[in-house]
């Protein structure tokens, strides 16, 4: 199994929104990402619309030809949006409305019933579900009980520790991925994965289905160009 690359295009929308108008053109960037080899597109609309807006998600519905992954906190408005768009995958995150970025995973034990109800509704519509979680065994076991199809491992701690001790950094994620596989869960990962640390992560997590990368990838594209950047990330995964 080869790990797939989903490009998070939130930062493109952030840049566009900084000046208003439509530069850079989000739709064209998404088309180009796929043309350059991206195997999925990820968006994370937030209530304040500071980057990807709900209308962007609707506009992308008939544009994305690979895998469309929508991340977000399952508010009523978010759920109405994804039920309208029906993406390939919905990744549920426990962000507060004012969160700068996703910075923690679900407590799947405490929120088991809440998550199970939402996941049941999404799966009824044929939408694959993933839960954003920390690499903790009890949390992953709780995720299985919700009925989710996959988990997305929150990898910020890995990225922070990697420069000092990459073996120590990867260990909780290796354990978590093995547990997920025994629980029948697919494994995604994301947050602060980069050209520096991605190869080691993917080589040590053979269970890894998909990575979602935005901030680092778009930042690298400022120097390398978007096509070369996407090809560089794909090369690490191969």
């Amino acid at each position: 199994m080869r790990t797939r690359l989903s490009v998070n295009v939130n930062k493109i929308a952030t840049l566009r929104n900084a000046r208003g108008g439509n530069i850079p053109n989000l739709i064209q960037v998404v088309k180009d990402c796929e043309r350059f080899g991206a195997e999925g597109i990820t968006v994370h609309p937030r209530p304040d619309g500071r980057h990807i807006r709900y209308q962007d998600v609707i506009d992308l519905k008939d544009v994305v030809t690979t895998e469309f992954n929508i991340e977000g906190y399952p508010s009523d408005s978010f759920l109405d949006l994804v039920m309208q768009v029906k993406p390939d995958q919905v990744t549920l995150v426990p962000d507060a409305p004012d969160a700068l970025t996703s910075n923690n995973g679900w407590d799947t034990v405490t929120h088991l019933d809440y998550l199970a109800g939402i996941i049941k509704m999404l799966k009824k519509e044929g939408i694959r579900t993933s839960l954003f979680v920390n690499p903790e065994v009890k949390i992953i076991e709780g995720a299985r009980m919700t009925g989710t199809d996959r988990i997305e491992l929150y990898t910020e701690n890995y990225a922070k520790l990697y420069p000092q001790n990459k073996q120590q950094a990867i260990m909780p994620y290796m354990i978590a991925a093995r547990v997920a596989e025994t629980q029948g869960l697919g494994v995604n990962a994301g947050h602060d994965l980069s050209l520096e640390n991605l190869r080691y992560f993917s080589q040590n997590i053979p269970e890894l289905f998909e990575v979602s990368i935005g901030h680092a990838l778009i930042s690298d594209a400022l120097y390398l160009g978007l096509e070369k950047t996407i090809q560089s990330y794909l090369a690490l995964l191969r």
Side-chain angles (χ1 to χ4, degrees):
M1 181 185 72
R2 185 175 62 78
T3 305
R4 298 167 62 89
L5 172 66
S6 184
V7 175
N8 186 318
V9 294
N10 275 20
K11 286 298 185 293
I12 301 299
T14 302
L15 184 59
R16 175 201 62 188
N17 296 351
R19 286 288 297 269
N22 198 34
I23 299 174
N25 186 306
L26 178 70
I27 298 296
Q28 187 59 51
V29 171
V30 165
K31 291 179 178 179
D32 289 338
C33 285
E34 293 187 322
R35 182 163 59 89
F36 297 152
E39 297 151 313
I41 298 295
T42 293
V43 295
H44 187 155
R46 295 180 184 275
D48 61 8
R50 66 178 181 265
H51 36 61
I52 291 291
R53 300 165 178 157
Y54 278 28
Q55 187 59 50
D56 291 327
V57 179
I58 294 169
D59 292 343
L60 287 171
K61 175 182 179 182
D62 296 322
V63 173
V64 177
T65 61
T66 54
E67 179 183 282
F68 197 15
N69 173 45
I70 304 177
E71 300 179 346
Y73 179 79
S75 64
D76 290 344
S77 59
F78 176 83
L79 291 173
D80 287 343
L81 175 69
V82 298
M83 295 295 277
Q84 175 184 349
V85 174
K86 291 185 173 59
D88 301 285
Q89 179 174 267
V90 168
T91 301
L92 301 176
V93 298
D95 290 354
D98 60 347
L100 179 63
T101 185
S102 300
N103 56 15
N104 203 5
W106 285 102
D107 181 341
T108 57
V109 177
T110 300
H111 300 292
L112 173 60
D113 292 340
Y114 172 69
L115 291 169
I118 293 167
I119 289 167
K120 182 178 181 180
M121 178 180 67
L122 293 172
K123 292 179 73 171
K124 187 176 180 181
E125 296 298 320
I127 302 171
R128 186 172 73 236
T129 59
S130 180
L131 289 179
F132 194 66
V133 297
N134 297 327
E136 302 173 20
V137 171
K138 69 175 183 178
I139 295 299
I140 294 168
E141 291 173 343
R144 180 186 65 82
M145 298 295 290
T146 69
T148 191
D149 301 294
R150 295 186 184 182
I151 56 168
E152 179 175 329
L153 293 172
Y154 170 44
T155 49
E156 181 180 11
N157 288 336
Y158 164 76
K160 284 183 175 179
L161 185 57
Y162 177 86
Q164 287 78 43
N165 189 329
K166 60 184 181 181
Q167 291 179 324
Q168 183 180 344
I170 197 67
M171 187 56 65
Y173 296 89
M174 293 174 63
I175 295 170
R178 290 169 189 158
V179 170
E181 186 177 49
T182 65
Q183 299 289 316
L185 298 173
V187 179
N188 299 339
H191 205 92
D192 290 347
L193 294 173
S194 68
L195 290 176
E196 177 187 6
N197 60 42
L198 178 60
R199 183 190 297 276
Y200 187 76
F201 189 88
S202 63
Q203 285 179 338
N204 285 279
I205 311 288
E207 301 87 355
L208 190 60
F209 282 3
E210 174 185 296
V211 291
S212 174
I213 304 177
H215 183 81
L217 189 150
I218 300 303
S219 297
D220 290 329
L222 295 175
Y223 292 91
L224 304 176
L226 187 59
E227 181 174 8
K228 185 175 180 180
T229 299
I230 289 174
Q231 289 297 313
S232 296
Y233 275 89
L234 288 170
L236 295 180
L237 294 172
R238 290 170 181 158

